[in-house]
Amino acid sequence: MEKLIRQCQQGDRESMGQLYLAMRDELLGQCRQYVADNTTAEDLLHDAFLLIFSNIGKLRSPEKGRQWMHRIVRNTCLLYTQHRQHLAQVPVEVLETVPSKESDPAVSYDDILNAI
């Protein structure tokens, strides 16, 4: 693994492909510990690999590459889950206060925002 990481650090694209294939299943399993949806887990894995490959040159200890990649995956997943928790959830009751098109054809953007 260390040799493969060193080759990636030198910009060897074939080695990057090999590293992806070598670590994909292991890191995807880690993503699935954070999210149940397979598509989301794969998206998170790809996001993490973008970070891995764009920062692999900064890795000072290639022998610790596996742990480093796991840390990036963990942080990517945690950021995603934190972001999902902070998304506004609008109760259905509030949506009932938005005027319908039939009752007021001139519903403005501000009216909708105020209702939310």
Side-chain angles (χ1 to χ4, degrees), residues 52-71:
I52 288 168
F53 289 136
S54 60
N55 291 291
I56 200 160
K58 298 175 186 176
L59 178 62
R60 288 181 258 170
S61 302
E63 66 277 1
K64 296 181 180 177
R66 176 176 256 116
Q67 297 92 331
W68 177 74
M69 287 185 278
H70 276 281
R71 207 168 324 123

Side-chain angles (χ1 to χ4, degrees), residues 5-110:
I5 290 172
R6 288 189 193 280
Q7 291 169 332
C8 290
Q9 289 178 318
Q10 295 169 359
D12 183 355
R13 290 188 179 267
E14 187 175 323
S15 295
M16 289 179 186
Q18 291 174 1
L19 182 63
Y20 177 85
L21 291 174
M23 294 298 298
R24 181 190 185 282
D25 292 341
E26 183 177 329
L27 296 177
L28 183 58
Q30 184 180 2
C31 290
R32 287 183 177 143
Q33 292 175 357
Y34 291 92
V35 294
D37 179 60
N38 287 332
T39 302
T40 302
E42 288 180 10
D43 287 346
L44 289 170
L45 176 68
H46 290 141
D47 290 349
F49 264 109
L50 287 173
L51 289 169
I52 288 168
F53 289 136
S54 60
N55 291 291
I56 200 160
K58 298 175 186 176
L59 178 62
R60 288 181 258 170
S61 302
E63 66 277 1
K64 296 181 180 177
R66 176 176 256 116
Q67 297 92 331
W68 177 74
M69 287 185 278
H70 276 281
R71 207 168 324 123
I72 289 175
V73 169
R74 182 194 68 221
N75 291 340
T76 301
C77 292
L78 287 174
L79 282 173
Y80 171 80
T81 56
Q82 288 171 357
H83 175 74
R84 294 286 299 162
Q85 289 174 354
H86 287 93
L87 289 178
Q89 295 181 357
V90 180
V92 175
E93 297 80 31
V94 173
L95 296 177
E96 292 172 357
T97 64
V98 176
S100 69
K101 191 171 184 174
E102 293 79 28
S103 66
D104 185 4
V107 175
S108 71
Y109 177 74
D110 290 331

